[in-house]
Amino acid sequence: MIGVGLMGRRHAENLARHVTDARVLAVTDADEATRDRVARDLETTASASVDALLGRTDVRAVVVASPKRFHEEHAIAAAKAGKDVFLEKPIATSLEGADRVIAAAQKAGIRVQVGFQRRYDPAYAEARKLVSSGALGRPLFYRGVNRDLLAPVGPPGSMDASDILTESAIHDLDGACWMIADEVVGVRATLATVGDRATSPASDLTMVELAFSRGAVAHIEAMWGARYAYDIRSEILCENGAVVVGGFAQTMLTVLRAGERRDDLYPGFLERYADAYVAELRDFVGGVLDRRPPAVTGEDGRRALAIAFAAERSAATTRPVTPG
């Protein structure tokens, strides 16, 4: 494990407790206290550095869950060490960086799997199976809503303007491509700050429209600081029906308030995707053992990142943009 903060710790716990074919041999983190605590809790070894962890001959694969600015560096280092890589999104902080990760993996002959856990969520997986079967006809429209309960806090400008795109909306950018099974040829987007501007480090709301080559379209909303819950919903409208993941019963009125519990909403992503996080790691470990191609590839990670950067450019220019 490289990086055992919030997400990395969950991955480490899942590997140690729920993936029978895996053993967590070592963890490392830039914060010494964090790596020592996680190593102690999981009864494994704390490595003093990434190099020390990658130098172990008994380590066959690594999970990279370090801050995104280190994803490229750590993934390439793992590839050069001959380790398969499970890499949290985004794959890198630039398209050039994504290309370097993919090239390093190809040169070393190792597998890179990107952490788009929605593909392993039972509801999303069943929706994709139904849509791709053709039973409802051709997909026409994808609608995604991605609202986080809390928003990051910090001085204005202390986060990148694109962070909400590359950290949150990117799940729906990948999800729309996965469901529609087509390439994006046009992107139009807006970025806004709707929370407290004095404490918002970057844009906390984005709306992205995607145009696909065969005529389908998508609309994606991502928001930080909804306050009432972690709210994830998707709809795929097809020629002869629709598939909905999440959402509410068709009552005349639904009111969502902060502090009120609803059984169909969650406090955060760790709770909503608990099963999916286990499933993606089981698939990763199975792929390491079987030497089969990953279900979510480095190219998938690059494509979603390219759309996110196109959305950032569109928001800045107020014009539609073609992904690079």
Side-chain angles (χ1 to χ4, degrees):
M1 286 294 314
I2 300 176
V4 283
L6 180 65
M7 193 68 253
R9 181 181 177 111
R10 174 57 62 92
H11 285 322
E13 291 171 344
N14 283 339
L15 284 167
R17 297 167 182 169
H18 303 299
V19 182
T20 55
D21 291 330
R23 283 196 304 140
V24 180
L25 297 177
V27 301
T28 191
D29 194 278
D31 184 83
E32 182 179 357
T34 297
R35 69 173 181 252
D36 288 346
R37 181 172 61 253
V38 173
R40 183 173 60 253
D41 291 346
L42 298 182
E43 299 181 338
T44 189
T45 301
S47 286
S49 68
V50 172
D51 288 342
L53 186 148
L54 294 178
R56 292 183 55 148
T57 58
D58 55 347
V59 171
R60 294 180 57 183
V62 299
V63 173
V64 176
S66 49
K68 68 174 184 177
R69 65 184 182 275
F70 298 117
H71 285 186
E72 175 188 348
E73 173 189 342
H74 291 161
I76 291 175
K80 289 180 177 179
K83 320 295 186 185
D84 284 349
V85 180
F86 179 92
L87 180 58
E88 265 302 332
K89 53 78 190 164
I91 185 173
T93 56
S94 68
L95 295 184
E96 295 79 10
D99 290 336
R100 287 189 288 269
V101 170
I102 293 168
Q106 291 173 342
K107 181 178 180 179
I110 61 96
R111 304 168 68 257
V112 172
Q113 178 175 326
V114 178
F116 287 136
Q117 84 284 348
R118 284 196 198 179
R119 296 194 186 201
Y120 293 89
D121 177 75
Y124 277 99
E126 185 63 25
R128 205 314 181 126
K129 181 179 178 181
L130 181 59
V131 171
S132 63
S133 74
L136 298 178
R138 182 170 62 91
L140 305 174
F141 174 66
Y142 176 97
R143 162 77 170 158
V145 173
N146 185 341
R147 297 175 187 164
D148 276 283
L149 173 67
L150 302 175
V153 175
S158 57
M159 291 175 59
D160 293 338
S162 64
D163 276 0
I164 194 168
L165 289 161
T166 60
E167 297 281 357
S168 293
I170 198 168
H171 286 290
D172 271 308
L173 301 179
D174 173 70
C177 293
W178 184 52
M179 289 288 183
I180 301 296
D182 194 10
E183 292 302 313
V184 173
V185 295
V187 181
R188 185 188 295 270
T190 58
L191 287 165
T193 301
V194 295
D196 182 359
R197 290 181 176 273
T199 60
S200 296
S203 301
D204 54 21
L205 174 67
T206 186
M207 289 177 283
V208 184
E209 297 176 10
L210 307 179
F212 290 86
S213 66
R214 295 196 296 269
V217 295
H219 183 275
I220 292 160
E221 170 209 320
M223 180 184 183
W224 289 333
R227 298 189 180 185
Y228 62 88
Y230 179 73
D231 187 358
I232 302 297
R233 292 173 265 145
S234 297
E235 177 183 4
I236 306 94
L237 175 66
C238 301
E239 291 174 307
N240 302 312
V243 180
V244 180
V245 179
F248 311 100
Q250 290 217 359
T251 55
M252 294 300 291
L253 176 68
T254 298
V255 179
L256 306 174
R257 293 189 179 92
E260 289 185 356
R261 179 182 174 185
R262 287 186 60 97
D263 291 335
D264 47 6
L265 288 172
Y266 297 82
F269 59 90
L270 293 179
E271 294 82 6
R272 169 61 181 86
Y273 293 113
D275 293 339
Y277 288 129
V278 173
E280 66 178 351
L281 286 177
R282 283 177 176 161
D283 185 53
F284 172 67
V285 171
V288 172
L289 297 174
D290 299 340
R291 306 316 299 166
R292 54 179 162 77
V296 189
T297 64
E299 287 78 5
D300 291 329
R302 187 197 189 280
R303 178 179 60 183
L305 188 64
I307 298 170
F309 288 149
E312 182 185 19
R313 296 196 303 274
S314 174
T317 61
T318 69
R319 298 174 60 184
V321 171
T322 301

